[in-house]
Amino acid sequence: MTDPLRIDQSGRTQTWTINVPDAANAITGSDFIAAFEAAVDAANRDTDVAAVILTGAGRFFSAGGNVRDMRDRKGVFGQDPVSQRHGYASGIQRIPRAMQRCEVPIIAAVNGAAIGAGCDLAAMCDVRIATESAFFAESFVQLGLIPGDGGSWFLPRAVGWARAAEMTFTGDRVDAATALSWGLVNEVVTDAELLPAAHRFAGRIAKNPVPAVRMAKRLLLESRTAPLDSALALAAAMQPLAHQDPEHHRRVAKLAR
């Protein structure tokens, strides 16, 4: 059986490839969700992993939900409303929760269409690099649905309220150039340059001490919703840990020569 999430490692960077090309890299399958959670938890345990690149196999980054399963009312899509509610909580919503506990910076290398939950998955990442042919669509309303995977929480934090409202209420496509101007992506490159560009970005992260990067990411995540006093208290609690890192001592000594 083909792994729904392929994991490769080069130095201190892991590449996670969504590998469900026969379903346009849908991320709603139980096998994919379990594999994604396992990858996050394994990366958290492995302090040699400094950065993760998330991309898709084939032409799609991810089309989000499996439209054939929706049509055929398979799995959670065929359940009664009460069961569906629990199905979302115990299914697709495990992905944003995994993203929130991921200590490692994640770079989305958006190689093609990022639609629905696929768009939201990209928004959950810390950094986004897209090819010129990529596009994003928060397309749920066009199917009479809403973002059931946390997109309404992540997308406004990526592009601001007004742009998120535009994407959510219309479901229209946003091309790579527009996504760049909106701040949805950090960089737009050619197809051939996508993974090299993502690895270069990962290298810029990986040159720094892993404990400091991971704590900095946690501080950024918590500060999304924390009041200033709470964010300051967390920073004050984390900083003494950073001060005890031998790599911090080495780098300060080198700089102070």
Side-chain angles (χ1 to χ4, degrees), residues 207 209 245-257:
K207 66 181 175 58
D245 186 353
E247 184 62 16
H248 160 68
H249 298 159
R250 187 187 72 77
R251 292 188 180 212
V252 168
K254 182 178 179 181
L255 188 64
R257 283 177 187 168

Side-chain angles (χ1 to χ4, degrees), residues 46-134:
D46 187 351
T47 54
D48 286 334
V49 179
V52 166
I53 296 168
L54 178 64
T55 193
R59 298 184 300 108
F60 286 82
F61 176 73
S62 173
N66 189 318
V67 178
R68 292 189 199 122
D69 286 352
M70 292 182 198
R71 178 197 63 195
D72 298 338
R73 305 289 178 88
K74 290 178 63 176
V76 68
F77 305 120
Q79 295 174 339
D80 64 85
V82 172
S83 298
Q84 279 191 333
R85 178 189 172 211
H86 291 289
Y88 269 86
S90 62
I92 186 67
Q93 291 182 355
R94 288 157 53 190
I95 291 178
R97 291 191 175 97
M99 279 292 204
Q100 282 297 95
R101 69 174 181 267
C102 186
E103 298 178 355
V104 184
I106 300 183
I107 302 162
V110 184
N111 55 299
I115 302 170
C119 178
D120 292 339
L121 180 63
M124 293 174 202
C125 295
D126 303 299
V127 174
R128 289 163 289 279
I129 300 173
T131 64
E132 295 167 337
S133 59

Side-chain angles (χ1 to χ4, degrees), residues 166-190:
E166 180 176 346
M167 293 179 69
T168 302
F169 299 158
T170 67
D172 291 342
R173 294 184 178 189
V174 174
D175 62 28
T178 303
L180 181 64
S181 70
W182 287 3
L184 181 55
V185 300
N186 299 66
E187 187 178 359
V188 175
V189 297
T190 65

